[in-house]
Amino acid sequence: MRLTSAVGRGLPLMLLGAALACSACSDNGSNPPGPSGSSEKNVVKGKATDTAGRPLAGVEVVADNQVLYNSDVVGVTGADGTYRLELGQAAATWNTSARLKRDFNGRSYTFELHPSNASPFAGNEGAVRDFDWRLTGARPGGGFYGSGVFFRLADYVDPADPDQALQDEHMELTLTPVGPLVDGSTGSPVTGRGTSTGDGFGMPDVAIARYTVTGRYAPPGQAVRPLLVRVQGEDTYADSVTADFKPLIEGGDGPYRIGLELKFP
């Protein structure tokens, strides 16, 4: 059974009035029907699914009025993963987003879900907007669905050759999941090097999990050497560390990150 929920946050009276009775309708091609059926006038509806394609209950869906300030309509998906929001008859353009909260390893995480169509739509035409949960990959508005593992070398010069400057891009990390990924699936070790991003140097698109991390220094054409590693802010380096993703601002809804420092033994 589909859950219907429409809640206004500070809605004007014209949006709180009785919603127009909905009937199936076709559109002019700018708003094609999605997997959840055809669009209805003054309604946005759809379905949220998890990383395995199963229905996701409890997802918050927000229809954001692009014309009237603070006039969102908010709903929550039901047990079958579906939602249906009545938008009222005001002439407005809307955009829809969805987010999921998950408790994992003693922390709470919030995830933006991937929309089947990220384009705004006219309320009088209605729309179908499905959402799916992705642990990694590019987001339509920029950035990634995964979180960042950022790291740096504590040394500036090679202790074995003081005339040789060290380069962060020669570091290679291996992240081995400890237990399942945040969606409950089984993860595999991730080995990679960092890149420079606006948030720092590192791997910006990693699925949230608890990871054991090891590092090594591997310049092209040279011998590979192990590195010691520690979580930023901790005192002791070790051959490996186990770390969880934390919000950039404690208590916030993200972005989440792991910060690491590495050095030669």
Side-chain angles (χ1 to χ4, degrees), residues 137-172:
R139 297 171 57 170
F144 300 97
Y145 288 112
S147 296
V149 177
F150 298 103
F151 49 98
R152 68 179 185 88
L153 278 164
D155 302 313
Y156 294 100
V157 297
D158 191 333
D161 183 0
D163 294 327
Q164 182 67 44
L166 297 174
Q167 305 295 326
D168 286 343
E169 56 265 29
H170 295 330
M171 287 186 290
E172 183 180 88

